[in-house]
Amino acid sequence: MNFLRKKINKNQDMASDRLADAEGSADRDQKKAIREKIQRSSFPPGTEFALAHAESQLMSAVVGVLSESVVESMKAFYKMRSAYKTLEGLQAHVAVALPNTPLARLDGMGGSKVSLPKSLKAPKRGSDHDGNSLNAGMAGLDMRPASASEVPSRNSSASRRSATSLDSQYNSMDKFIISGANMCFGMLLLILGMVPPSMKRIMAIVGFRGDRERGAEMLWEAAKFDNIHGAIAVLTILQYYGNMAQFSDITPDDNHPSGIGYPADRCHEALGWIRRRYPNAALWKLEEARMEAVKGNLENAVTMLSVPVVTQMKQVEALILFEKSLNQMFLHRYEDVAAGFIKLMTLNNWSHALYNYFAAVCYIELYRQAKTSDTEKAEGWAKKAEDLFERIPSFMGKKRFMAQGLPVEVFADKKIKKWVARSKERGIRLADAVGVSPVEEMMFFWNGYRRMDQENFEISFQALQYWGDHEMENDTIDEQAIRWLLLSAVMRNAGKWEKAREYLEKIQKVDRTQFRGTLVNDYMIPAAYYERAVGIWKEAKEHTPEMLAEMRVLLDKAANYGTFELDARIGMRVTTALDTITRYEVWLKEHKETGIAEKAPKGSE
């Protein structure tokens, strides 16, 4: 383990050194291009190197944030801020050349004004390379690609014709700058637009403003180009819609005319042509399986991910196995899930504590299933779970984010300490001291209920009945609230609205002060606010402004609740939901007199 850790640290150092070299080289070449007036594109001299410098800074920031040093993390945010300002400057130049594109429509975005880096500011009049050089370079060149709103979202041939037309209008350096500016800034806006409320306030202080809608538009714009920026843009789009966006339950139907929901047809089209462009990339297989899972076809997704892939990157193999194991967990195939997460420890060194925790809680479910029917098997499962629980503390803190322990690892460590204390207090074995189904709890945090069918809802319901109502009455209030929350989520996804509300009302009656304590879980109240808002959205046959206002009150309560366990995971759902409501209110207002009837939301039938 120490060997692997040293190797990873060495690789991080090598990556940092190479990125530092790239930053320095781009900076030197940019100054040289400006000094010698070397213009390789329709943009001011040195623009291409300014973009390369920003890209190097962004990648360097990622490496810094993943380090275990507070100092390196602070440097990373400084570099991210520097790259952000550079991209704002590039925005201004691309806006002149491409007035109809998403990148040109950012003035006033989030209150952030364009601030050009010194090297990109337009020189004073009278200088040899003033703004006229930019205009001269554009003379006779039609640089007006279709905006994202003009690109058909469901017509494959029309969309590809548009991309082909765009591709023929630019020289290679123009393509590099335009696609790179859209890809980098779009990715930043998209990610910053999803950060949880607590982090969003901090980001705003240092000048970061996110915008999911604009960010997605820019990524679609970049995706039109047949270069590395276009490929990364497509990968980001598919990752966003097939993974991150799926954590939120408040979203319109797929391909909704508002453009707010999951653009299933457009994503399927993008995956098709990116696979034709890069036929040997294993990542596209992962994205195809995610599309199946998003549609609720978990069996198909697992089958697709079970086919062996040929890849030189163990990271890709690990991503595929992680996704497969999650889908198997949603199908309640505990033995397969445990085997998958244990194997993951041989593929990467990201979070062995989390992998062991997933495997251990699956063994707990197998123990509970066999306890009354096969005592020998039950004993075997219990022993495996207890061995893993004892091993997990040795992995704690091995991987850190911004010099802090990973939130899910901290959460898992707290749960185990809680069960150990219960075991000693009650004089029972550790396997019997485990509370409300921890597997179902993980399914809730990974939003697995959204992908299940009725058969698996029933299995989840039975798992949550292991501790009956009578037994739960004598348990701690936090364990009771966890059970109410999980039962509510299962009932809501199964379409049993009234039962879901009943469980949430029980959580509402609990004072938050009762969730204080070293070994007490405390995420249930803010999660319940979010679940109540989701229930309103899902149950409604028509989304009215009054209903959206009611949802906003609940989501604001969750956003302003303060710190709690895994607040980033729940906070991301809340942020996405609030953004969806804001955009949906605008869409309703714009279409108020069109006579377009809104469909019932997905899952409300």
Side-chain angles (χ1 to χ4, degrees):
M1 187 59 65
N2 288 333
F3 170 75
L4 286 173
R5 187 172 178 78
K6 289 178 181 178
K7 186 175 181 182
I8 288 172
N9 289 337
K10 183 179 179 182
N11 290 339
Q12 285 183 336
D13 291 340
M14 289 175 61
S16 296
D17 291 342
R18 291 190 180 185
L19 288 169
D21 290 341
E23 283 184 58
S25 177
D27 187 53
R28 289 191 298 273
D29 289 340
Q30 181 188 354
K31 291 175 180 176
K32 180 180 178 181
I34 293 172
R35 183 174 62 250
E36 299 181 7
K37 306 174 187 177
I38 302 172
Q39 190 165 359
R40 297 181 177 86
S41 69
S42 304
F43 299 92
T47 300
E48 64 274 23
F49 296 115
L51 174 61
H53 186 261
E55 290 180 335
S56 300
Q57 285 185 312
L58 287 175
M59 287 186 280
S60 182
V62 171
V63 174
V65 168
L66 292 176
S67 72
E68 298 180 10
S69 166
V70 176
V71 174
E72 291 301 317
S73 296
M74 295 304 295
K75 287 180 180 178
F77 276 101
Y78 175 79
K79 288 188 176 184
M80 192 180 295
R81 174 62 179 161
S82 177
Y84 186 91
K85 299 302 289 183
T86 298
L87 292 168
E88 278 190 318
L90 289 172
Q91 165 213 326
H93 287 287
V94 176
V96 173
L98 310 169
N100 297 320
T101 62
L103 199 62
R105 299 197 295 273
L106 291 176
D107 287 344
M109 178 200 66
S112 178
K113 295 182 179 179
V114 174
S115 178
L116 297 174
K118 186 176 180 181
S119 59
L120 284 180
K121 285 184 179 178
K124 295 179 180 179
R125 292 185 178 277
S127 66
D128 292 334
H129 51 284
D130 63 9
N132 291 330
S133 63
L134 176 60
N135 295 330
M138 290 171 56
L141 182 62
D142 182 9
M143 299 185 69
R144 295 178 292 106
S147 68
S149 60
E150 295 168 347
V151 178
S153 61
R154 303 178 188 176
N155 188 313
S156 176
S157 60
S159 180
R160 295 311 300 149
R161 281 199 304 272
S162 174
T164 303
S165 173
L166 283 172
D167 200 52
S168 64
Q169 292 177 12
Y170 313 119
N171 65 38
S172 58
M173 195 58 71
D174 287 332
K175 296 174 191 175
F176 176 82
I177 294 169
I178 297 166
S179 62
N182 275 290
M183 186 272 290
C184 290
F185 210 16
M187 190 182 298
L188 269 176
L189 291 177
L190 187 67
I191 293 172
L192 292 173
M194 295 185 68
V195 298
S198 57
M199 190 176 292
K200 180 175 285 188
R201 287 187 282 270
I202 297 173
M203 292 291 186
I205 292 173
V206 295
F208 287 133
R209 292 288 191 276
D211 189 322
R212 283 196 304 144
E213 183 178 13
R214 297 266 173 81
E217 284 185 24
M218 283 185 231
L219 287 168
W220 282 115
E221 196 75 25
K224 299 173 186 177
F225 292 87
D226 291 337
N227 58 18
I228 184 63
H229 293 143
I232 294 175
V234 172
L235 180 60
T236 304
I237 287 168
L238 295 178
Q239 283 272 346
Y240 167 64
Y241 284 115
N243 190 9
M244 292 181 287
Q246 296 304 314
F247 280 100
S248 178
D249 301 271
I250 297 177
T251 180
D253 284 341
D254 295 352
N255 304 311
H256 193 274
S258 65
I260 300 172
Y262 175 47
D265 293 344
R266 197 175 184 187
C267 286
H268 190 271
E269 170 197 331
L271 178 61
W273 52 261
I274 200 66
R275 288 192 72 170
R276 289 192 292 273
R277 191 189 304 174
Y278 304 101
N280 298 320
L283 278 173
W284 310 131
K285 175 184 176 180
L286 172 62
E287 296 305 329
E288 186 176 9
R290 276 182 176 157
M291 285 185 178
E292 287 296 304
V294 167
K295 291 187 291 186
N297 299 331
L298 290 173
E299 293 282 2
N300 289 353
V302 170
T303 299
M304 294 168 68
L305 294 170
S306 298
V307 178
V309 296
V310 179
T311 176
Q312 296 179 342
M313 297 180 66
K314 278 196 172 184
Q315 296 93 325
V316 175
E317 186 181 349
L319 284 172
I320 290 174
L321 181 56
F322 187 85
E323 187 74 16
K324 175 186 172 183
S325 299
L326 281 181
N327 287 331
Q328 288 174 322
M329 183 170 71
F330 304 152
L331 290 167
H332 299 91
R333 296 176 183 172
Y334 306 121
E335 198 168 353
D336 291 337
V337 178
F341 279 107
I342 289 173
K343 184 179 178 181
L344 269 170
M345 289 190 290
T346 66
L347 296 179
N348 67 32
N349 197 42
W350 174 243
S351 180
H352 286 189
L354 177 62
Y355 300 157
N356 275 277
Y357 182 76
F358 268 116
V361 296
C362 283
Y363 288 141
I364 288 295
E365 288 301 324
L366 290 167
Y367 165 64
R368 289 177 173 179
Q369 289 180 351
K371 192 174 179 181
T372 56
S373 59
D374 192 328
T375 55
E376 186 176 345
K377 270 190 175 182
E379 176 62 28
W381 298 130
K383 186 67 169 64
K384 285 187 175 183
E386 289 169 344
D387 288 345
L388 289 178
F389 285 145
E390 291 176 5
R391 192 189 309 172
I392 287 172
S394 66
F395 295 110
M396 288 299 299
K398 297 292 185 182
K399 200 66 184 175
R400 303 173 77 82
F401 179 74
M402 292 179 62
Q404 299 293 322
L406 296 179
V408 181
E409 284 191 355
V410 174
F411 178 79
D413 185 57
K414 181 177 180 179
K415 299 287 284 192
I416 295 170
K417 288 177 180 176
K418 178 181 179 180
W419 299 331
V420 169
R422 283 157 61 100
S423 172
K424 293 177 180 178
E425 179 186 339
R426 302 180 184 183
I428 56 177
R429 70 182 303 172
L430 180 57
D432 288 325
V434 175
V436 175
S437 176
V439 166
E440 296 298 325
E441 195 172 37
M442 290 295 99
M443 290 182 195
F444 173 79
F445 282 117
W446 263 264
N447 211 10
Y449 296 134
R450 183 173 178 177
R451 302 180 178 187
M452 288 185 193
D453 56 18
Q454 289 296 330
E455 181 181 348
N456 280 288
F457 287 141
E458 182 58 33
I459 297 174
S460 287
F461 180 76
Q462 292 302 322
L464 293 170
Q465 296 300 319
Y466 179 77
W467 297 112
D469 293 339
H470 178 70
E471 292 170 300
M472 289 304 300
E473 287 176 2
N474 299 317
D475 210 330
T476 58
I477 189 62
D478 63 324
E479 284 293 320
Q480 294 181 51
I482 291 171
R483 183 168 179 262
W484 294 332
L485 178 67
L486 299 180
L487 283 170
S488 172
V490 171
M491 293 295 103
R492 190 256 301 164
N493 278 278
K496 300 177 181 179
W497 316 114
E498 290 186 12
K499 198 67 179 175
R501 282 196 300 272
E502 287 178 17
Y503 287 122
L504 292 177
E505 286 170 1
K506 292 182 178 182
I507 299 176
Q508 278 184 271
K509 295 175 182 177
V510 182
D511 190 287
R512 64 181 296 175
T513 58
Q514 294 184 258
F515 295 133
R516 292 176 183 170
T518 307
L519 300 180
V520 177
N521 295 115
D522 64 355
Y523 67 87
M524 292 76 72
I525 292 179
Y529 285 137
Y530 170 78
E531 280 292 318
R532 283 177 60 201
V534 175
I536 294 171
W537 173 270
K538 292 287 186 180
E539 191 175 0
K541 294 183 178 180
E542 182 180 356
H543 298 130
T544 64
E546 294 76 18
M547 185 204 73
L548 296 175
E550 182 183 358
M551 290 171 59
R552 185 182 293 279
V553 170
L554 291 167
L555 292 169
D556 283 338
K557 286 182 179 180
N560 299 315
Y561 187 82
T563 58
F564 54 91
E565 297 168 315
L566 298 181
D567 53 0
R569 279 192 166 269
I570 295 175
M572 187 172 72
R573 297 187 192 184
V574 172
T575 298
T576 305
L578 284 168
D579 181 64
T580 297
I581 289 175
T582 299
R583 293 169 60 190
Y584 206 84
E585 286 172 335
V586 172
W587 183 79
L588 281 178
K589 187 176 181 180
E590 291 175 349
H591 292 75
K592 189 175 182 180
E593 298 179 358
T594 61
I596 298 177
E598 184 200 12
K599 295 180 182 179
K602 192 173 183 179
S604 64
E605 61 275 354

